[in-house]
């Protein structure tokens, strides 16, 4: 059941983010494949792993995109494909996702440790 929830949550979440961002920016904010890729990752990892890989993808994308803008390689309006960051975040989540979730819980919610 977790894979179905992860797939639906991923698709709705990122299609919704893309729609709202497109309305606010007045241009296409996310490609059509991002929501489908997230749905696939949600089906594979479940909703917890999908959120971990999404967080990692956002962190990686922010560092790479911010660095490219700071170095003058890109402007703020240039599109950056988000799929490769999703793939990297998914690989990290695949191998170290449980450890990262455990570290997060130990750091922010120490009373939840069993």
């Amino acid at each position: 059941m977790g894979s179905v929830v992860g797939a639906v949550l991923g698709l709705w979440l990122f299609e919704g983010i893309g729609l709202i961002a497109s309305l606010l920016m007045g241009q296409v904010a996310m490609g059509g494949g991002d929501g489908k890729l997230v749905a696939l990752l949600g089906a594979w990892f479940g909703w917890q792993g999908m959120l971990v890989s999404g967080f990692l993808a956002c962190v990686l994308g922010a560092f790479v995109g911010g660095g490219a803008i700071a170095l003058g390689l890109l402007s703020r309006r240039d599109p950056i494909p988000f799929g490769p960051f999703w793939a990297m975040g998914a690989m990290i989540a695949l191998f170290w996702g449980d450890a990262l979730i455990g570290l997060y819980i130990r750091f922010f919610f120490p009373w939840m440790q069993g």
Side-chain angles (χ1 to χ4, degrees):
M1 186 65 147
S3 5
V4 173
V5 171
V8 171
L9 177 68
L11 184 63
W12 284 357
L13 182 66
F14 280 89
E15 289 292 329
I17 288 171
L19 177 66
I20 292 169
S22 295
L23 292 173
L24 291 175
M25 293 173 48
Q27 69 182 29
V28 177
M30 291 182 101
D34 291 322
K36 294 171 187 73
L37 177 60
V38 177
L40 173 92
L41 293 175
W44 186 311
F45 291 126
W47 67 271
Q48 300 96 336
M50 184 266 301
L51 291 177
V52 169
S53 63
F55 173 76
L56 293 170
C58 290
V59 169
L60 292 168
F63 279 118
V64 172
I69 291 169
L71 293 173
L73 301 172
L74 294 172
S75 73
R76 293 175 50 99
R77 290 298 226 178
D78 287 339
I80 301 173
F82 197 50
F85 299 112
W86 268 110
M88 286 188 279
M91 282 300 248
I92 294 169
L94 177 65
F95 293 111
W96 299 290
D98 292 335
L100 290 173
I101 290 172
L103 182 67
Y104 177 82
I105 289 173
R106 275 196 309 273
F107 188 72
F108 288 108
F109 304 102
W111 63 89
M112 291 179 66
Q113 295 182 41

